[in-house]
Amino acid sequence: MADLLSDEEIAEHLPDGWDRDGDEIVRTYEFDSYLEGVGFASGAAGLAEEAFHHPELTIGWREVEVRLTTHDAGGITTNDTDLAARFDGLYE
């Protein structure tokens, strides 16, 4: 199990565009169409499965909200910030 990050470490490791919301990090990705968002969510799900670290994905009209936390650690770890960076790479 990964160790929890301190507040300072979270601020240091949090990728651009992501915010902290309590024990989670969150980002909303925007798309030109609903289906582009669904495609992104599918790709993000594949990356999450590969990392065996599963976010909460909420698909809306032209946007996908992603929330990451490490449940078994009780908060934010490098597993979360690393996967967030991978999602950003998928989005680019």
Side-chain angles (χ1 to χ4, degrees):
M1 172 174 53
D3 293 330
L4 288 176
L5 296 176
S6 67
D7 291 341
E8 294 79 20
E9 290 171 321
I10 292 168
E12 179 183 323
H13 293 283
L14 196 65
D16 290 340
W18 287 81
D19 294 307
R20 182 177 183 181
D21 184 11
D23 288 339
E24 300 177 317
I25 58 173
V26 61
R27 179 172 178 181
T28 300
Y29 295 94
E30 296 182 359
F31 301 92
D32 291 333
S33 72
Y34 177 76
L35 286 179
E36 286 181 32
V38 170
F40 171 81
S42 178
L47 291 175
E49 186 67 16
E50 184 179 284
F52 200 68
H53 191 62
H54 304 97
E56 187 173 309
L57 300 170
T58 304
I59 301 170
W61 183 71
R62 295 174 45 176
E63 66 181 29
V64 175
E65 181 186 73
V66 179
R67 290 182 167 272
L68 285 160
T69 191
T70 303
H71 296 286
D72 59 357
I76 301 165
T77 69
T78 56
N79 291 342
D80 303 302
T81 56
D82 291 348
L83 191 53
R86 294 187 70 195
F87 289 160
D88 287 350
L90 178 65
Y91 182 67
E92 294 173 351

